[in-house]
Amino acid sequence: MSTYIKLAWRNLWRNKKRTLIAAASVFFAVILALIMRSMQTGYYDYMIDASVRMYTGYIQIHGKDYWEKKSLEESMILDEKHLNKLKKIKGITLAVPRFETYSLISHGNKTKVAQITGINPQEENKLTDLKKKMIEGNFLDDSSKGIVIAQGLAEILKVGVGDSVVIYGQGYHGVTAAAQIPITGIVKFTLPDLNKAFTYLTLNYAQWLFSAPERLTSLSIMIDNPNELNRIESQLKNIFNEDYEVMDWEELSPELVQSIQVDNAQGIIMLGILYVVIAFGIFGTIMMMTAERVKEFGILISVGMKKWKLGLVTLYETLFVSFLGVFTGAIISIPILLYFKANPIPLTGEMADAILAWGFEPILPFAVYPGMFFAQIWTVLAIAMVSALYPILFIRKLKPVEALRG
Amino acid sequence: MSLIELNQVSKIYDETIVPIRAVDNVNLKIGKGEFTSIVGPSGSGKTTMLNLIGGLDQPTEGKIIVDGTDISTYKPDALINFRLHHIGFVFQAYNLIPVFTAKENVEFIMLLQNIPKSEREKRAVEFLEAVGLKDRINSTPAELSGGQQQRVAVARALASQPSFVLADEPTANLDSVSAESLLDLMEDLNHKHNMTFVFSTHDQRVIKRAHRIVTLQDGKIKKDEMNPAHAKSEA
Ligand SMILES: Nc1ncnc2c1ncn2[C@@H]1O[C@H](COP(=O)(O)OP(=O)(O)OP(=O)(O)O)[C@@H](O)[C@H]1O
Ligand SMILES: [Mg+2]
């Protein structure tokens, strides 16, 4: 072991209590910061997951310009060649096709605008758990010629299972689409916007009705690990170039991104305050360790110790105090965070209502990413480095004669 | 050629209302193997002069030649290196690194000098033995008496093989028995190793042990005499 490291390490323990207090302040702050980050990140992950399962998936593939124009003219045909390539991408768990359009829906003298979604019932169910939301009648199967409509819409139209509704709209290339369709099921959404507008047909039936055989408006992709999103997205972009657009959930749900950003900013401010506390703990200790050793420094420089070597010893001291706190804090945090990842905290109040409105369980799972730990370590390292400048600059200015006279 | 030579050296502090000539136009030569004491009343300039000789401070005027090198124009960083390789220091107090053992303390300057580990250890043990602390090698300063600590400081200075040893009031914090025995030790090392010692003191008992006595007053050399009791040892 280098003598300078040995010297720094022993110097640290000249005042055990003070060193322990400084290290402990870092220790607790790091644990607190990690819990905060883990909770926030976990909440965002959960919200994102809830949101993508609501409808969009993590990634959607559209015909070029579809997202902007939302017109059937920008719908797409996915050939086998593309789909086979898609299947080879690692990490994709689902690829759910949809044919989505708007049309008039009426019963008796009541008419509304509805979203018509043509779905592959099994695949759709895997993504959005639609079957569970059925409150009346039957869910669609592949050969179904009926329509499933949202409960709020049914209420407005004053219809139930067994009644028929008339769909009247415009199909592909402006061809009129009109049909009378029996209601085979009612589905209930917790979000009012969906509950008042959504209807489902089978994919084939919708394509036939809107004169768009084989055509899709979107393919929603689910992945098993959100951290792989960027990789999968860029692989998809390679396959679906020119005639298509590939969008991730951030582009599909900008409101969600924004609300996360706002919340995250608050979290960062809290972290900032925490780090100021850490910084004072470290800096105060380092300042005291410097002030009480002026004579000693003077002697060491007098006998021929170069100033940078002495500065190095004080740098080690600073790093030791800081890392003592940050490493123990990070290590102790791991089991705590993993526990709450496995056993999410049940939510109440406003937060719970927000999640319930999305139709998901109000819980707060913690997220644990290595990056969170590195962020702590880097931040404390940066604080330590800045604090370490104090003794180094102090030593630089130190004149041995003055230091010796005290 | 002298080991230490001061030519018209002055150190003037002029931040004060009346400038203080702490060392005033001093000429002094000290040869190899001398055992010299700088004496004088408090404020007469002893510390200032030793600091100049030791390259801890720079003169306002004049030339200081140590070991054939004019150090009066050296920059502080160059002086650090010069001190490391040419001068052994024993201060009045706080000489030792409190968290190091006697042996580690003695080794430390040799480490700064890049002397290999085995050689450092050999010399550390040898010199701690020479100052009579063979059995206290692994003691920390807190476990040693003031006199023992000063002996470690002397061992540390000598182990680094300097051209001479400077000691500013090395006995000021010691009782008379310890002071006497430190002087015995220094004299013995002076004798055996032909090591040059320059030390300052107030203490009459210490003064009388010096071979040469340089008396300062108001920064000037008032007297420079051989101690009759030791006249034989000087050239
Ligand atoms: N940095 C300084 N600024 C101003 N004056 C100083 C400074 N250092 C020393 N002096 C003055 O220079 C003179 C000589 O001081 P010095 O410390 O060399 O005396 P000394 O002989 O060592 O005294 P003592 O026996 O008390 O140690 C004194 O008048 C002192 O006040
Ligand atoms: Mg003095």
Side-chain angles (χ1 to χ4, degrees), chain A residues 116-130:
Chain A
I116 313 282
T117 309
I119 58 170
N120 173 326
Q122 288 85 42
E123 296 297 298
E124 183 70 26
N125 190 46
K126 281 186 210 158
L127 174 62
T128 61
D129 232 353
L130 195 56

Side-chain angles (χ1 to χ4, degrees), chain B:
Chain B
M1 191 184 63
S2 312
L3 184 60
I4 303 163
E5 194 174 328
L6 276 66
N7 271 331
Q8 316 255 304
V9 169
S10 296
K11 177 73 186 181
I12 304 163
Y13 293 109
D14 53 7
E15 312 94 67
T16 40
I17 305 166
V18 184
I20 296 169
R21 302 185 73 92
V23 167
D24 193 1
N25 215 355
V26 162
N27 291 296
L28 179 70
K29 286 182 181 173
I30 295 174
K32 178 120 196 76
E34 286 193 27
F35 197 66
T36 305
S37 177
I38 313 286
V39 304
S42 181
S44 57
K46 302 184 292 295
T47 297
T48 307
M49 198 166 94
L50 286 185
N51 286 346
L52 290 171
I53 296 172
L56 290 167
D57 208 354
Q58 289 142 305
T60 317
E61 292 163 2
K63 261 189 181 178
I64 299 169
I65 296 156
V66 170
D67 237 356
T69 312
D70 181 358
I71 61 166
S72 35
T73 54
Y74 271 29
K75 296 269 174 297
D77 284 341
L79 281 175
I80 293 181
N81 207 38
F82 186 82
R83 294 197 296 267
L84 176 62
H85 293 283
H86 291 85
I87 305 169
F89 288 94
V90 178
F91 297 99
Q92 184 178 326
Y94 307 110
N95 270 295
L96 305 179
I97 299 169
V99 295
F100 275 177
T101 62
K103 181 159 160 270
E104 287 167 334
N105 263 291
V106 176
E107 276 189 54
F108 191 71
I109 296 181
M110 292 187 273
L111 172 86
L112 297 176
Q113 292 174 327
N114 291 324
I115 291 169
K117 177 84 183 153
S118 55
E119 172 72 10
R120 286 196 319 251
E121 291 197 328
K122 198 188 108 213
R123 279 202 231 161
V125 174
E126 179 186 323
F127 280 95
L128 280 167
E129 207 174 327
V131 301
L133 291 173
K134 195 183 170 197
D135 52 345
R136 304 310 298 268
I137 275 178
N138 293 316
S139 303
T140 59
E143 295 160 357
L144 298 171
S145 72
Q148 290 171 326
Q149 289 181 32
Q150 293 303 76
R151 286 159 176 266
V152 176
V154 170
R156 177 178 72 175
L158 259 82
S160 68
Q161 300 185 329
S163 309
F164 59 95
V165 174
L166 277 183
D168 190 9
E169 308 211 30
T171 61
N173 288 356
L174 303 182
D175 59 69
S176 51
V177 177
S178 308
E180 286 285 340
S181 85
L182 187 70
L183 258 292
D184 285 342
L185 170 68
M186 283 163 53
E187 202 174 6
D188 182 50
L189 292 166
N190 166 252
H191 201 72
K192 280 194 191 134
H193 297 258
N194 196 31
M195 177 55 68
T196 315
F197 281 85
V198 183
F199 52 97
S200 74
T201 186
H202 280 116
D203 187 336
Q204 277 309 318
R205 286 160 313 184
V206 175
I207 295 171
K208 69 173 194 273
R209 306 291 297 272
H211 302 179
R212 176 181 173 188
I213 302 167
V214 176
T215 311
L216 290 183
Q217 189 163 32
D218 299 328
K220 290 190 168 71
I221 295 180
K222 200 179 114 197
K223 253 199 295 188
D224 182 353
E225 59 195 345
M226 289 304 161
N227 187 343
H230 298 277
K232 59 180 183 340
S233 17
E234 302 309 331

